[in-house]
Amino acid sequence: MVSSPATARSFARQEGGAGLRDSVWGARELLVALVARNLRMRYQRSALGFLWVLLNPVLTTLIMVGVFRYVLHIPVDQYWGFLISGYFAWIFIVHSVTESAGTIREHSYMARTLAFPADVLVISTLMSRILEFVLEIILVASLLAVFRHGGVPAAFALLPLAVALLVGMALALAYPIAAASVFFKDVEFALPVGFTLLGYLSPVFYPLALVPEAWRDLYSLNPMVGLLGIFHAILYDGRVPPFSLFAISAVEVTILLVIGRQLFRWKRSLFAEIV
Amino acid sequence: MSSDVPRIECVGVTKRFYHYEHRTTTLQEFVFRQLAGKPLHVRTPTFHLEGFDLTVRTGESVALVGANGSGKSTALRLIAGIYPPTTGSIVTRGRLVAVIELGTTFQPELTGIENVELYAAALGMRRREVQASLSSILDFAGVDEFAEVPLKYYSSGMRSRLAFSIALGSDPEILLLDEVLAVGDVSFRAKCYDRLAAYAANGGTMVVVSHDMDSLPMLCTRAVWLEGGRSRLDGSVDAVVQAYLQSVTSSS
């Protein structure tokens, strides 16, 4: 008996038609429609929606600056500047991955009744978060330009590249986690624990320089270290990060993205039956 | 497309599902079972389709009939590309629209128009096409005045009508309908039958799963009787429906 769902002898092919079934590119109009739906649901339907979107990170930042600066005395000049340089990038990873990981379960009716690449659900959810993140980064960059750098450092021009790497990282994580959560109900419970752990093992609340020298190589195996390093260098230091930092992060993101996407595609054809 | 090229070609299609006595559905159990060397699932395979063949040519309207569990809906989902076949091959040629469950993809918070845009995109329509046929879709569903109203305020009949209207308005070359013909009130149903008849008359290809034996002859010319995942009889709709009904009444 054949154990794999797709063997050499079995295939389903659509010739002609819109190409919706075959690739994310073929389903791009659906992708756009889903992003439009997500944005409408989040912002247009509630007048207060956008206010909360901004208020929440602002309040969290104030609390954390208070705790880490005045209670724990982290020895960093202008700690608020350091914190907001990396915090929003980290929160983007947490929120976008958590949301897109649950998206196939959430829209199970689509997977069960329509033929389209499930990638579209993950990518559209992620894309709907990018707008918010870009606005936050603009706000952060403005604050730092005015109150820390007294001008706009040339390094800020590299922010789009940094954001692109971060989005790639979010997608690399979202792909396999989304696939796993189709099969395992408790992924959504494991995820917050995992992110809390990873958050404390990344230079979000403290700088890399405070990590003991002996541990730093091991610590830096976490790809978030490099990514956050890029954000800190550009936003907080206002200087161009070393090229090696970009190169290493780009390689890490690419490798994780390829692996994550393969894992997703390996199980993708079963989603409609399982979810 | 020339009429001798089949729109749908299923050859030796098998679809296996499982009956689970035990199913691992949590990461926690997955890890424990892996460590203990226990199998993840205890399950027995069941075949919803076994050696299913079907060829549908351009302009044909085929009804799939059979008892519950005979594999009709599974066959439709395989043709639609929602499930992959376990073995065998399925080729479809042309724009395919499958209406599996009416209106389940609708978003209650979005308006009628926004839902049309979303569902039409999910069925493979381009944005330009959606804009061009928007008013005719709303008009056919009879929900023009509610176009800007969130869908949660629609009655279930309105929702079904809208879903059906989008599917028909998406200009399919192959239309798959799964038990969705009992839609709306009498007058809407009559409108649907007219529309489907016009679609078939214009060379549209259709596969319909339905238990409504009285209305099938109005829609289809050919019928396939499925039993135990295989086609038992394939022929004119009248002959197949009659044979199927006879076997049902004689066995009960």
Side-chain angles (χ1 to χ4, degrees):
Chain A
M1 193 159 56
V2 189
S3 61
S4 146
T7 65
R9 293 198 298 127
S10 79
F11 63 89
R13 194 172 68 226
Q14 186 180 22
E15 295 171 3
L20 176 79
R21 243 164 79 176
D22 311 315
S23 64
V24 175
W25 177 248
R28 61 191 179 281
E29 307 244 355
L30 175 59
L31 188 67
V32 172
L34 285 169
V35 172
R37 181 216 41 195
N38 291 346
L39 294 179
R40 273 180 187 138
M41 303 262 267
R42 194 173 309 141
Y43 304 121
Q44 185 182 313
R45 296 285 168 255
S46 59
L48 278 175
F50 211 75
L51 193 64
W52 281 111
V53 166
L54 284 178
L55 204 60
N56 187 19
V58 168
L59 288 177
T60 318
T61 309
L62 286 175
I63 292 165
M64 283 189 309
V65 167
V67 170
F68 289 108
R69 172 77 178 81
Y70 297 103
V71 181
L72 290 173
H73 299 289
I74 289 185
V76 174
D77 177 42
Q78 287 187 308
Y79 179 75
W80 64 269
F82 170 80
L83 185 73
I84 62 175
S85 297
Y87 179 69
F88 289 96
W90 170 245
I91 284 300
F92 168 73
I93 291 277
V94 175
H95 283 173
S96 65
V97 173
T98 305
E99 260 175 39
S100 31
T103 190
I104 296 173
R105 282 181 89 90
E106 188 189 341
H107 300 300
S108 58
Y109 52 85
M110 282 189 77
R112 278 188 278 106
T113 59
L114 295 162
F116 64 100
D119 312 43
V120 171
L121 287 175
V122 176
I123 296 172
S124 66
T125 314
L126 194 70
M127 282 171 72
S128 345
R129 271 273 166 203
I130 294 177
L131 171 73
E132 196 176 310
F133 176 57
V134 167
L135 289 178
E136 286 167 356
I137 284 294
I138 290 172
L139 187 71
V140 166
S142 316
L143 285 173
L144 287 163
V146 173
F147 297 107
R148 178 167 169 82
H149 304 300
V152 179
F156 278 16
L158 287 169
L159 276 173
L161 194 58
V163 170
L165 282 175
L166 197 74
V167 170
M169 186 63 173
L171 190 58
L173 293 174
Y175 260 134
I177 297 172
S181 58
V182 172
F183 295 90
F184 304 119
K185 288 181 288 194
D186 53 350
V187 169
E188 57 179 315
F189 302 118
L191 213 49
V193 181
F195 273 130
T196 306
L197 214 65
L198 192 63
Y200 284 105
L201 287 173
S202 306
V204 180
F205 309 109
Y206 53 84
L208 181 59
L210 288 186
V211 176
E213 197 106 33
W215 290 94
R216 215 170 285 169
D217 283 345
L218 185 65
Y219 180 88
S220 300
L221 285 179
N222 170 7
M224 283 312 298
V225 174
L227 280 175
L228 290 172
I230 293 174
F231 276 92
H232 287 146
I234 297 175
L235 285 167
Y236 178 69
D237 300 332
R239 62 175 174 81
V240 176
F243 175 74
S244 62
L245 205 56
F246 268 119
I248 292 169
S249 282
V251 170
E252 282 172 343
V253 165
T254 309
I255 291 172
L256 288 174
L257 198 52
V258 168
I259 295 173
R261 188 169 171 278
Q262 279 311 112
L263 284 171
F264 186 86
R265 301 226 153 181
W266 173 44
K267 291 293 183 191
R268 185 176 69 178
S269 64
L270 294 175
F271 290 170
E273 297 165 29
I274 304 281
V275 75
Chain B
M1 188 175 287
S2 112
S3 65
D4 47 322
V5 178
R7 286 284 185 187
I8 302 170
E9 246 183 321
C10 302
V11 181
V13 173
T14 298
K15 183 59 185 174
R16 183 189 54 216
F17 289 101
Y18 293 98
H19 268 306
Y20 285 88
E21 278 150 60
H22 179 86
R23 182 174 194 169
T24 297
T25 56
T26 62
L27 209 53
Q28 180 187 320
E29 200 187 352
F30 174 80
V31 172
F32 284 139
R33 284 191 162 246
Q34 289 283 18
L35 291 177
K38 283 200 225 165
L40 291 182
H41 308 297
V42 181
R43 60 187 187 181
T44 45
T46 63
F47 287 87
H48 284 206
L49 288 178
E50 249 183 315
F52 173 70
D53 297 316
L54 179 70
T55 303
V56 180
R57 295 179 185 284
T58 305
E60 275 194 300
S61 301
V62 182
L64 299 183
V65 300
N68 285 327
S70 58
K72 306 182 299 291
S73 293
T74 305
L76 217 59
R77 283 176 197 239
L78 282 155
I79 296 169
I82 297 167
Y83 297 160
T86 306
T87 60
S89 67
I90 300 166
V91 178
T92 59
R93 298 186 179 89
R95 177 134 111 181
L96 184 149
V97 167
V99 188
I100 304 288
E101 289 164 34
L102 270 184
T104 44
T105 44
F106 282 154
Q107 303 285 313
E109 298 295 328
L110 298 184
T111 67
I113 288 182
E114 288 165 353
N115 269 296
V116 172
E117 288 168 354
L118 184 62
Y119 188 45
L123 293 179
M125 276 177 97
R126 297 285 174 233
R127 215 179 148 69
R128 255 176 290 116
E129 300 171 319
V130 182
Q131 295 311 324
S133 47
L134 191 59
S135 62
S136 73
I137 287 172
L138 293 168
D139 182 58
F140 185 75
V143 296
D144 314 61
E145 308 109 277
F146 302 93
E148 303 285 352
V149 174
L151 222 79
K152 58 184 172 187
Y153 300 119
Y154 280 40
S155 70
S156 65
M158 288 162 75
R159 271 200 292 271
S160 305
R161 277 176 0 227
L162 185 60
F164 209 81
S165 182
I166 298 166
L168 289 177
S170 64
D171 192 27
E173 288 164 307
I174 306 169
L175 184 62
L176 309 179
L177 302 174
D178 187 7
E179 298 283 2
V180 291
L181 286 166
V183 185
D185 51 23
V186 178
S187 77
F188 182 72
R189 218 192 288 195
K191 253 168 60 175
C192 281
Y193 279 97
D194 287 348
R195 183 77 174 266
L196 288 170
Y199 166 77
N202 286 324
T205 308
M206 199 160 42
V207 179
V208 181
V209 167
S210 175
H211 286 291
D212 183 1
M213 295 301 147
D214 297 331
S215 61
L216 279 180
M218 290 194 280
L219 286 172
C220 304
T221 49
R222 180 182 154 200
V224 175
W225 173 9
L226 280 172
E227 196 174 71
R230 285 171 219 272
S231 71
R232 172 164 165 181
L233 188 63
D234 183 340
S236 80
V237 68
D238 293 315
V240 173
V241 165
Q242 201 181 8
Y244 171 61
L245 288 176
Q246 254 166 19
S247 93
V248 174
T249 44
S250 66
S251 67
S252 65

